[in-house]
Amino acid sequence: MASHLPKSTTPIFVLCFFFLAFLTASARPVQRQLAGSRRPLREKTSHLHFYFHDIVSGRNPTAVNIVRPANISSAAGFGNVAMIDDPLTEGPELSSKLIGRAQGFYALDGQQETTLLMACTYVFLEGKYNGSTLSILGRNAPMHAVREMPVVGGSGLFRLARGYAVARTHQYDANTGDANVEYNVYVIHY
Ligand SMILES: *[C@@H]1O[C@H](CO)[C@@H](O)[C@H](O)[C@H]1NC(C)=O
Ligand SMILES: *[C@@H]1O[C@H](CO)[C@@H](O)[C@H](O)[C@H]1NC(C)=O
């Protein structure tokens, strides 16, 4: 194949090679700027464990319904949307150390089965994670014992985060609707 090419095209290939090599090299400082430091980026893996309290009952609910569908006969609750500011605690008790809050909303998007579209920012308030956030966007079928939701991004110490959250219901009160959910979150970040 190469033998059919005119001789004069060879320098173009060589130039392209050096141009690509230059682009690759010049991309690195941009990555360093993203990390806000001069050190090269190093990928880290973090495992976070906490309890999520979704309180819908009582005087101080942390989850409030903001959208109610016109047709309320769906047993799955299809069409409801709740805005949340749920406390995240270190231990299973609500009185244990507050380590963050899950803020955002969940929308009931299942017609056959109760499923939630979770669109939330988990902001951490403790120690080195104080002020850092993780964005969770995904499907949560709360009647299943174990659910998995994608972590699609983050900020602060969790810049460029990707990962997943595994949620297990620790306690659910069918009378009040209050739920206590254990979370294990695994993230890769810089
Ligand atoms: C309301 O929902 C029920 C159950 O899903 C359905 O049978 C009914 O046709 C719906 N009514 C209207 C007016 O959409
Ligand atoms: C977290 O950061 C906020 C704002 O910078 C500060 O007011 C608060 O005391 C910090 N909390 C902890 C536990 O360090």
Side-chain angles (χ1 to χ4, degrees), residues 101-165:
R101 311 195 69 88
Q103 299 174 322
F105 65 84
Y106 55 73
L108 279 73
D109 60 358
Q111 284 191 292
Q112 315 305 326
E113 180 192 352
T114 300
T115 54
L116 314 176
L117 160 67
M118 303 284 291
C120 303
T121 310
Y122 288 48
V123 58
F124 297 93
L125 304 169
E126 257 308 305
K128 65 173 180 172
Y129 296 115
N130 191 5
S132 295
T133 68
L134 287 175
S135 295
I136 291 190
L137 179 71
R139 182 177 190 263
N140 182 4
M143 300 309 160
H144 291 237
V146 184
R147 293 88 72 181
E148 183 183 318
M149 289 164 266
V151 173
V152 297
S155 69
L157 274 191
F158 295 124
R159 279 179 181 170
L160 300 173
R162 58 193 193 279
Y164 62 98

Short mmCIF file of all heavy atoms in Angstrom, two decimals, residues 101-165:
data_model
loop_
_atom_site.label_atom_id
_atom_site.label_comp_id
_atom_site.label_asym_id
_atom_site.label_seq_id
_atom_site.Cartn_x
_atom_site.Cartn_y
_atom_site.Cartn_z
N ARG A 101 -26.07 14.97 54.04
CA ARG A 101 -27.49 15.05 53.72
C ARG A 101 -27.68 14.63 52.27
O ARG A 101 -26.82 14.93 51.43
CB ARG A 101 -28.03 16.48 53.89
CG ARG A 101 -27.66 17.15 55.21
CD ARG A 101 -28.51 18.39 55.47
NE ARG A 101 -29.89 18.02 55.74
CZ ARG A 101 -30.35 17.73 56.96
NH1 ARG A 101 -29.57 17.79 58.01
NH2 ARG A 101 -31.61 17.40 57.12
N ALA A 102 -28.80 13.98 52.00
CA ALA A 102 -29.16 13.64 50.62
C ALA A 102 -30.20 14.65 50.19
O ALA A 102 -31.30 14.70 50.75
CB ALA A 102 -29.73 12.23 50.55
N GLN A 103 -29.83 15.50 49.22
CA GLN A 103 -30.73 16.57 48.80
C GLN A 103 -31.07 16.40 47.33
O GLN A 103 -30.20 16.10 46.52
CB GLN A 103 -30.06 17.93 49.03
CG GLN A 103 -29.75 18.17 50.49
CD GLN A 103 -28.95 19.45 50.73
OE1 GLN A 103 -28.08 19.79 49.94
NE2 GLN A 103 -29.25 20.12 51.83
N GLY A 104 -32.34 16.61 47.01
CA GLY A 104 -32.77 16.48 45.63
C GLY A 104 -34.19 15.97 45.59
O GLY A 104 -35.00 16.35 46.42
N PHE A 105 -34.46 15.10 44.63
CA PHE A 105 -35.82 14.57 44.61
C PHE A 105 -35.84 13.14 44.12
O PHE A 105 -34.88 12.66 43.52
CB PHE A 105 -36.75 15.45 43.76
CG PHE A 105 -36.42 15.50 42.29
CD1 PHE A 105 -36.87 14.52 41.42
CD2 PHE A 105 -35.67 16.54 41.78
CE1 PHE A 105 -36.57 14.57 40.08
CE2 PHE A 105 -35.36 16.60 40.43
CZ PHE A 105 -35.82 15.61 39.58
N TYR A 106 -36.94 12.48 44.43
CA TYR A 106 -37.22 11.19 43.81
C TYR A 106 -38.61 11.25 43.21
O TYR A 106 -39.51 11.89 43.74
CB TYR A 106 -37.00 10.00 44.74
CG TYR A 106 -37.73 9.97 46.07
CD1 TYR A 106 -39.09 9.73 46.15
CD2 TYR A 106 -37.02 10.13 47.26
CE1 TYR A 106 -39.74 9.66 47.37
CE2 TYR A 106 -37.65 10.07 48.49
CZ TYR A 106 -39.01 9.84 48.54
OH TYR A 106 -39.65 9.77 49.74
N ALA A 107 -38.73 10.64 42.06
CA ALA A 107 -39.99 10.64 41.32
C ALA A 107 -40.43 9.21 41.11
O ALA A 107 -39.63 8.36 40.69
CB ALA A 107 -39.78 11.34 39.97
N LEU A 108 -41.69 8.93 41.43
CA LEU A 108 -42.20 7.56 41.29
C LEU A 108 -42.54 7.31 39.82
O LEU A 108 -43.48 7.89 39.29
CB LEU A 108 -43.41 7.33 42.21
CG LEU A 108 -43.03 7.02 43.67
CD1 LEU A 108 -42.51 8.26 44.38
CD2 LEU A 108 -44.20 6.42 44.43
N ASP A 109 -41.72 6.47 39.20
CA ASP A 109 -41.81 6.30 37.75
C ASP A 109 -42.25 4.90 37.32
O ASP A 109 -42.11 4.55 36.15
CB ASP A 109 -40.48 6.68 37.08
CG ASP A 109 -39.31 5.83 37.55
OD1 ASP A 109 -39.51 4.96 38.43
OD2 ASP A 109 -38.20 6.02 37.04
N GLY A 110 -42.78 4.11 38.25
CA GLY A 110 -43.22 2.76 37.90
C GLY A 110 -44.74 2.67 37.93
O GLY A 110 -45.37 3.14 38.88
N GLN A 111 -45.31 2.08 36.91
CA GLN A 111 -46.78 1.91 36.89
C GLN A 111 -47.20 0.58 37.51
O GLN A 111 -48.27 0.47 38.09
CB GLN A 111 -47.31 2.00 35.46
CG GLN A 111 -47.34 3.43 34.95
CD GLN A 111 -48.09 3.55 33.64
OE1 GLN A 111 -47.63 3.05 32.61
NE2 GLN A 111 -49.22 4.19 33.66
N GLN A 112 -46.35 -0.43 37.35
CA GLN A 112 -46.68 -1.77 37.86
C GLN A 112 -46.15 -1.95 39.28
O GLN A 112 -46.77 -2.62 40.09
CB GLN A 112 -46.06 -2.87 36.97
CG GLN A 112 -46.22 -2.66 35.48
CD GLN A 112 -47.67 -2.47 35.07
OE1 GLN A 112 -48.58 -3.06 35.65
NE2 GLN A 112 -47.89 -1.63 34.07
N GLU A 113 -44.99 -1.36 39.51
CA GLU A 113 -44.27 -1.58 40.77
C GLU A 113 -43.75 -0.22 41.23
O GLU A 113 -43.42 0.62 40.39
CB GLU A 113 -43.09 -2.51 40.46
CG GLU A 113 -42.22 -2.84 41.64
CD GLU A 113 -40.90 -3.50 41.23
OE1 GLU A 113 -40.71 -3.85 40.06
OE2 GLU A 113 -40.06 -3.64 42.13
N THR A 114 -43.67 -0.01 42.55
CA THR A 114 -43.12 1.26 43.04
C THR A 114 -41.63 1.32 42.72
O THR A 114 -40.85 0.51 43.23
CB THR A 114 -43.35 1.42 44.55
OG1 THR A 114 -44.75 1.40 44.79
CG2 THR A 114 -42.76 2.72 45.08
N THR A 115 -41.26 2.24 41.86
CA THR A 115 -39.84 2.46 41.56
C THR A 115 -39.61 3.96 41.59
O THR A 115 -40.50 4.75 41.26
CB THR A 115 -39.43 1.90 40.19
OG1 THR A 115 -40.28 2.44 39.18
CG2 THR A 115 -39.50 0.38 40.15
N LEU A 116 -38.41 4.33 42.03
CA LEU A 116 -38.10 5.75 42.15
C LEU A 116 -36.98 6.10 41.19
O LEU A 116 -36.00 5.37 41.07
CB LEU A 116 -37.60 6.08 43.57
CG LEU A 116 -38.36 5.52 44.77
CD1 LEU A 116 -37.63 5.88 46.05
CD2 LEU A 116 -39.76 6.07 44.80
N LEU A 117 -37.15 7.24 40.52
CA LEU A 117 -36.02 7.84 39.82
C LEU A 117 -35.36 8.72 40.87
O LEU A 117 -35.96 9.70 41.32
CB LEU A 117 -36.49 8.68 38.63
CG LEU A 117 -35.46 9.71 38.13
CD1 LEU A 117 -34.26 9.03 37.51
CD2 LEU A 117 -36.09 10.67 37.14
N MET A 118 -34.16 8.36 41.30
CA MET A 118 -33.44 9.15 42.30
C MET A 118 -32.58 10.17 41.56
O MET A 118 -31.81 9.79 40.67
CB MET A 118 -32.50 8.26 43.13
CG MET A 118 -33.18 7.11 43.84
SD MET A 118 -34.10 7.59 45.30
CE MET A 118 -32.79 8.06 46.42
N ALA A 119 -32.72 11.42 41.90
CA ALA A 119 -31.88 12.48 41.31
C ALA A 119 -31.43 13.34 42.48
O ALA A 119 -32.10 14.32 42.84
CB ALA A 119 -32.68 13.27 40.29
N CYS A 120 -30.35 12.94 43.10
CA CYS A 120 -29.95 13.55 44.38
C CYS A 120 -28.47 13.87 44.45
O CYS A 120 -27.65 13.18 43.84
CB CYS A 120 -30.27 12.60 45.54
SG CYS A 120 -31.98 12.10 45.63
N THR A 121 -28.18 14.88 45.24
CA THR A 121 -26.80 15.20 45.59
C THR A 121 -26.60 14.79 47.04
O THR A 121 -27.38 15.20 47.90
CB THR A 121 -26.54 16.71 45.45
OG1 THR A 121 -27.01 17.13 44.18
CG2 THR A 121 -25.07 17.02 45.56
N TYR A 122 -25.60 14.00 47.30
CA TYR A 122 -25.27 13.61 48.67
C TYR A 122 -24.11 14.52 49.08
O TYR A 122 -23.01 14.39 48.56
CB TYR A 122 -24.88 12.13 48.73
CG TYR A 122 -26.06 11.18 48.55
CD1 TYR A 122 -26.97 11.35 47.50
CD2 TYR A 122 -26.27 10.13 49.43
CE1 TYR A 122 -28.05 10.50 47.35
CE2 TYR A 122 -27.35 9.25 49.26
CZ TYR A 122 -28.24 9.45 48.23
OH TYR A 122 -29.31 8.60 48.07
N VAL A 123 -24.41 15.44 49.98
CA VAL A 123 -23.37 16.37 50.43
C VAL A 123 -22.85 15.88 51.77
O VAL A 123 -23.63 15.53 52.66
CB VAL A 123 -23.88 17.84 50.48
CG1 VAL A 123 -25.09 18.00 51.39
CG2 VAL A 123 -22.75 18.79 50.92
N PHE A 124 -21.53 15.83 51.90
CA PHE A 124 -20.92 15.33 53.14
C PHE A 124 -20.49 16.51 53.99
O PHE A 124 -20.11 17.57 53.48
CB PHE A 124 -19.77 14.36 52.80
CG PHE A 124 -20.30 13.16 52.08
CD1 PHE A 124 -20.33 13.11 50.69
CD2 PHE A 124 -20.88 12.11 52.79
CE1 PHE A 124 -20.90 12.04 50.02
CE2 PHE A 124 -21.44 11.03 52.12
CZ PHE A 124 -21.45 10.99 50.74
N LEU A 125 -20.59 16.34 55.31
CA LEU A 125 -20.40 17.47 56.23
C LEU A 125 -19.33 17.21 57.28
O LEU A 125 -19.18 17.99 58.21
CB LEU A 125 -21.74 17.78 56.94
CG LEU A 125 -22.93 18.07 56.02
CD1 LEU A 125 -24.24 18.09 56.80
CD2 LEU A 125 -22.73 19.40 55.29
N GLU A 126 -18.62 16.14 57.13
CA GLU A 126 -17.69 15.72 58.17
C GLU A 126 -16.24 15.67 57.68
O GLU A 126 -15.97 15.23 56.56
CB GLU A 126 -18.06 14.30 58.62
CG GLU A 126 -18.79 14.25 59.92
CD GLU A 126 -18.08 15.00 61.02
OE1 GLU A 126 -16.90 14.69 61.28
OE2 GLU A 126 -18.68 15.91 61.63
N GLY A 127 -15.34 16.09 58.57
CA GLY A 127 -13.90 15.91 58.34
C GLY A 127 -13.43 16.36 56.98
O GLY A 127 -13.84 17.41 56.48
N LYS A 128 -12.57 15.55 56.35
CA LYS A 128 -11.98 15.96 55.06
C LYS A 128 -13.01 15.99 53.94
O LYS A 128 -12.79 16.64 52.92
CB LYS A 128 -10.81 15.04 54.71
CG LYS A 128 -11.21 13.59 54.46
CD LYS A 128 -10.03 12.77 53.95
CE LYS A 128 -10.46 11.33 53.72
NZ LYS A 128 -9.46 10.52 53.06
N TYR A 129 -14.13 15.30 54.12
CA TYR A 129 -15.17 15.27 53.08
C TYR A 129 -16.12 16.46 53.18
O TYR A 129 -16.99 16.62 52.33
CB TYR A 129 -15.99 13.98 53.17
CG TYR A 129 -15.19 12.72 52.90
CD1 TYR A 129 -15.00 11.76 53.88
CD2 TYR A 129 -14.65 12.50 51.64
CE1 TYR A 129 -14.28 10.61 53.63
CE2 TYR A 129 -13.91 11.35 51.37
CZ TYR A 129 -13.73 10.41 52.37
OH TYR A 129 -13.01 9.28 52.11
N ASN A 130 -15.98 17.26 54.22
CA ASN A 130 -16.91 18.37 54.46
C ASN A 130 -17.05 19.24 53.20
O ASN A 130 -16.08 19.81 52.73
CB ASN A 130 -16.40 19.22 55.64
CG ASN A 130 -17.42 20.24 56.12
OD1 ASN A 130 -18.55 20.28 55.63
ND2 ASN A 130 -17.01 21.06 57.08
N GLY A 131 -18.26 19.33 52.68
CA GLY A 131 -18.54 20.16 51.50
C GLY A 131 -18.43 19.42 50.18
O GLY A 131 -18.87 19.93 49.15
N SER A 132 -17.85 18.22 50.19
CA SER A 132 -17.74 17.45 48.95
C SER A 132 -19.08 16.76 48.67
O SER A 132 -19.81 16.42 49.59
CB SER A 132 -16.64 16.39 49.07
OG SER A 132 -15.38 17.01 49.20
N THR A 133 -19.37 16.58 47.39
CA THR A 133 -20.66 15.98 47.04
C THR A 133 -20.50 14.81 46.07
O THR A 133 -19.51 14.72 45.35
CB THR A 133 -21.60 17.00 46.36
OG1 THR A 133 -21.06 17.35 45.08
CG2 THR A 133 -21.77 18.27 47.18
N LEU A 134 -21.52 13.96 46.08
CA LEU A 134 -21.65 12.88 45.09
C LEU A 134 -23.03 13.02 44.46
O LEU A 134 -24.01 13.27 45.16
CB LEU A 134 -21.55 11.51 45.75
CG LEU A 134 -20.17 11.06 46.22
CD1 LEU A 134 -20.29 9.72 46.96
CD2 LEU A 134 -19.21 10.93 45.04
N SER A 135 -23.09 12.86 43.16
CA SER A 135 -24.37 12.92 42.45
C SER A 135 -24.84 11.52 42.13
O SER A 135 -24.11 10.75 41.49
CB SER A 135 -24.23 13.72 41.16
OG SER A 135 -23.91 15.05 41.46
N ILE A 136 -26.04 11.21 42.59
CA ILE A 136 -26.62 9.89 42.35
C ILE A 136 -27.84 10.06 41.45
O ILE A 136 -28.71 10.89 41.71
CB ILE A 136 -26.97 9.19 43.69
CG1 ILE A 136 -25.66 8.84 44.41
CG2 ILE A 136 -27.87 7.97 43.47
CD1 ILE A 136 -25.78 7.94 45.62
N LEU A 137 -27.83 9.31 40.39
CA LEU A 137 -28.94 9.35 39.43
C LEU A 137 -29.22 7.91 39.02
O LEU A 137 -28.36 7.25 38.44
CB LEU A 137 -28.53 10.17 38.20
CG LEU A 137 -29.58 10.30 37.10
CD1 LEU A 137 -30.72 11.20 37.54
CD2 LEU A 137 -28.96 10.86 35.83
N GLY A 138 -30.41 7.42 39.36
CA GLY A 138 -30.68 6.05 38.96
C GLY A 138 -32.00 5.53 39.48
O GLY A 138 -32.78 6.25 40.10
N ARG A 139 -32.20 4.25 39.22
CA ARG A 139 -33.46 3.59 39.56
C ARG A 139 -33.35 2.92 40.91
O ARG A 139 -32.38 2.21 41.18
CB ARG A 139 -33.77 2.54 38.49
CG ARG A 139 -35.09 1.81 38.69
CD ARG A 139 -35.30 0.86 37.52
NE ARG A 139 -36.63 0.28 37.50
CZ ARG A 139 -36.93 -0.92 37.98
NH1 ARG A 139 -35.99 -1.67 38.54
NH2 ARG A 139 -38.16 -1.37 37.89
N ASN A 140 -34.36 3.15 41.75
CA ASN A 140 -34.40 2.58 43.08
C ASN A 140 -35.76 1.89 43.23
O ASN A 140 -36.79 2.56 43.19
CB ASN A 140 -34.22 3.72 44.09
CG ASN A 140 -34.19 3.27 45.53
OD1 ASN A 140 -34.22 2.07 45.81
ND2 ASN A 140 -34.13 4.21 46.44
N ALA A 141 -35.74 0.58 43.36
CA ALA A 141 -36.98 -0.17 43.59
C ALA A 141 -37.03 -0.49 45.08
O ALA A 141 -36.47 -1.50 45.52
CB ALA A 141 -36.98 -1.44 42.74
N PRO A 142 -37.65 0.39 45.90
CA PRO A 142 -37.51 0.29 47.36
C PRO A 142 -38.07 -0.98 47.99
O PRO A 142 -37.73 -1.29 49.13
CB PRO A 142 -38.23 1.53 47.87
CG PRO A 142 -39.15 1.93 46.78
CD PRO A 142 -38.51 1.52 45.51
N MET A 143 -38.92 -1.71 47.25
CA MET A 143 -39.47 -2.94 47.83
C MET A 143 -38.49 -4.12 47.69
O MET A 143 -38.72 -5.18 48.25
CB MET A 143 -40.82 -3.28 47.19
CG MET A 143 -41.88 -2.19 47.40
SD MET A 143 -42.03 -1.73 49.16
CE MET A 143 -42.80 -0.14 49.04
N HIS A 144 -37.42 -3.91 46.95
CA HIS A 144 -36.41 -4.97 46.83
C HIS A 144 -35.40 -4.81 47.97
O HIS A 144 -35.10 -3.69 48.38
CB HIS A 144 -35.68 -4.86 45.48
CG HIS A 144 -36.57 -5.23 44.32
ND1 HIS A 144 -36.25 -6.22 43.43
CD2 HIS A 144 -37.77 -4.74 43.93
CE1 HIS A 144 -37.23 -6.33 42.54
NE2 HIS A 144 -38.16 -5.44 42.82
N ALA A 145 -34.89 -5.94 48.43
CA ALA A 145 -33.98 -5.91 49.58
C ALA A 145 -32.71 -5.12 49.26
O ALA A 145 -32.21 -4.38 50.11
CB ALA A 145 -33.63 -7.33 49.98
N VAL A 146 -32.19 -5.28 48.06
CA VAL A 146 -30.94 -4.61 47.68
C VAL A 146 -31.14 -3.88 46.35
O VAL A 146 -31.70 -4.45 45.42
CB VAL A 146 -29.78 -5.63 47.53
CG1 VAL A 146 -28.46 -4.92 47.24
CG2 VAL A 146 -29.65 -6.50 48.77
N ARG A 147 -30.71 -2.64 46.30
CA ARG A 147 -30.80 -1.85 45.06
C ARG A 147 -29.44 -1.26 44.75
O ARG A 147 -28.65 -1.01 45.66
CB ARG A 147 -31.77 -0.67 45.22
CG ARG A 147 -33.21 -1.04 45.39
CD ARG A 147 -33.59 -1.27 46.82
NE ARG A 147 -33.65 -0.07 47.64
CZ ARG A 147 -33.94 -0.05 48.90
NH1 ARG A 147 -34.20 -1.17 49.56
NH2 ARG A 147 -33.96 1.09 49.57
N GLU A 148 -29.21 -1.04 43.48
CA GLU A 148 -27.94 -0.41 43.08
C GLU A 148 -28.24 0.83 42.25
O GLU A 148 -29.08 0.79 41.36
CB GLU A 148 -27.13 -1.41 42.27
CG GLU A 148 -25.77 -0.86 41.89
CD GLU A 148 -24.98 -1.81 41.02
OE1 GLU A 148 -24.97 -3.03 41.29
OE2 GLU A 148 -24.38 -1.31 40.05
N MET A 149 -27.54 1.91 42.58
CA MET A 149 -27.73 3.16 41.84
C MET A 149 -26.37 3.71 41.39
O MET A 149 -25.41 3.63 42.15
CB MET A 149 -28.41 4.20 42.73
CG MET A 149 -29.86 3.91 43.01
SD MET A 149 -30.41 4.89 44.41
CE MET A 149 -30.17 3.76 45.75
N PRO A 150 -26.31 4.26 40.19
CA PRO A 150 -25.04 4.80 39.73
C PRO A 150 -24.67 6.12 40.40
O PRO A 150 -25.54 6.95 40.65
CB PRO A 150 -25.27 5.04 38.22
CG PRO A 150 -26.56 4.36 37.90
CD PRO A 150 -27.36 4.31 39.16
N VAL A 151 -23.39 6.29 40.68
CA VAL A 151 -22.83 7.58 41.07
C VAL A 151 -22.28 8.17 39.78
O VAL A 151 -21.40 7.59 39.15
CB VAL A 151 -21.71 7.43 42.12
CG1 VAL A 151 -21.04 8.78 42.39
CG2 VAL A 151 -22.26 6.84 43.41
N VAL A 152 -22.85 9.30 39.37
CA VAL A 152 -22.51 9.83 38.05
C VAL A 152 -21.52 11.01 38.09
O VAL A 152 -21.10 11.48 37.04
CB VAL A 152 -23.78 10.23 37.27
CG1 VAL A 152 -24.64 9.01 37.01
CG2 VAL A 152 -24.58 11.29 38.00
N GLY A 153 -21.17 11.45 39.29
CA GLY A 153 -20.22 12.55 39.36
C GLY A 153 -20.03 12.99 40.80
O GLY A 153 -20.60 12.39 41.72
N GLY A 154 -19.23 14.05 40.97
CA GLY A 154 -18.99 14.54 42.31
C GLY A 154 -18.25 15.86 42.27
O GLY A 154 -17.88 16.34 41.21
N SER A 155 -18.03 16.43 43.48
CA SER A 155 -17.29 17.69 43.57
C SER A 155 -16.38 17.62 44.78
O SER A 155 -16.50 16.72 45.62
CB SER A 155 -18.26 18.87 43.68
OG SER A 155 -18.90 18.84 44.94
N GLY A 156 -15.48 18.60 44.87
CA GLY A 156 -14.55 18.64 46.01
C GLY A 156 -13.61 17.46 45.95
O GLY A 156 -12.99 17.19 44.92
N LEU A 157 -13.55 16.70 47.05
CA LEU A 157 -12.67 15.51 47.07
C LEU A 157 -13.16 14.44 46.11
O LEU A 157 -12.43 13.50 45.81
CB LEU A 157 -12.61 14.92 48.48
CG LEU A 157 -11.59 15.49 49.44
CD1 LEU A 157 -11.50 14.62 50.68
CD2 LEU A 157 -10.21 15.59 48.80
N PHE A 158 -14.39 14.58 45.66
CA PHE A 158 -14.97 13.56 44.77
C PHE A 158 -15.04 14.03 43.32
O PHE A 158 -15.88 13.56 42.55
CB PHE A 158 -16.36 13.16 45.26
CG PHE A 158 -16.37 12.48 46.60
CD1 PHE A 158 -17.13 12.98 47.64
CD2 PHE A 158 -15.61 11.35 46.83
CE1 PHE A 158 -17.15 12.36 48.88
CE2 PHE A 158 -15.60 10.72 48.07
CZ PHE A 158 -16.38 11.24 49.10
N ARG A 159 -14.14 14.95 42.95
CA ARG A 159 -14.12 15.39 41.55
C ARG A 159 -13.94 14.21 40.61
O ARG A 159 -13.15 13.32 40.88
CB ARG A 159 -12.95 16.34 41.32
CG ARG A 159 -13.27 17.74 41.77
CD ARG A 159 -12.07 18.62 41.54
NE ARG A 159 -12.35 19.97 41.99
CZ ARG A 159 -11.43 20.90 42.09
NH1 ARG A 159 -10.19 20.64 41.78
NH2 ARG A 159 -11.77 22.10 42.49
N LEU A 160 -14.69 14.27 39.53
CA LEU A 160 -14.65 13.23 38.47
C LEU A 160 -15.09 11.86 38.99
O LEU A 160 -14.72 10.84 38.41
CB LEU A 160 -13.25 13.13 37.84
CG LEU A 160 -12.72 14.40 37.17
CD1 LEU A 160 -11.27 14.20 36.75
CD2 LEU A 160 -13.55 14.75 35.96
N ALA A 161 -15.87 11.85 40.08
CA ALA A 161 -16.27 10.56 40.67
C ALA A 161 -17.13 9.74 39.73
O ALA A 161 -17.92 10.27 38.95
CB ALA A 161 -17.05 10.81 41.97
N ARG A 162 -16.91 8.45 39.81
CA ARG A 162 -17.83 7.50 39.18
C ARG A 162 -17.86 6.28 40.10
O ARG A 162 -16.89 5.98 40.79
CB ARG A 162 -17.39 7.14 37.76
CG ARG A 162 -16.02 6.55 37.65
CD ARG A 162 -15.59 6.55 36.18
NE ARG A 162 -14.42 5.72 35.99
CZ ARG A 162 -13.18 6.11 36.25
NH1 ARG A 162 -12.96 7.31 36.73
NH2 ARG A 162 -12.17 5.30 36.04
N GLY A 163 -19.01 5.64 40.12
CA GLY A 163 -19.12 4.49 41.02
C GLY A 163 -20.56 4.05 41.16
O GLY A 163 -21.38 4.30 40.28
N TYR A 164 -20.83 3.42 42.29
CA TYR A 164 -22.18 2.92 42.49
C TYR A 164 -22.50 2.89 43.98
O TYR A 164 -21.61 2.83 44.83
CB TYR A 164 -22.35 1.54 41.86
CG TYR A 164 -21.46 0.46 42.43
CD1 TYR A 164 -21.95 -0.41 43.40
CD2 TYR A 164 -20.14 0.32 42.02
CE1 TYR A 164 -21.13 -1.40 43.93
CE2 TYR A 164 -19.32 -0.65 42.55
CZ TYR A 164 -19.82 -1.51 43.50
OH TYR A 164 -19.01 -2.47 44.04
N ALA A 165 -23.80 2.98 44.25
CA ALA A 165 -24.29 2.93 45.63
C ALA A 165 -25.15 1.68 45.77
O ALA A 165 -26.00 1.42 44.91
CB ALA A 165 -25.12 4.17 45.92
#
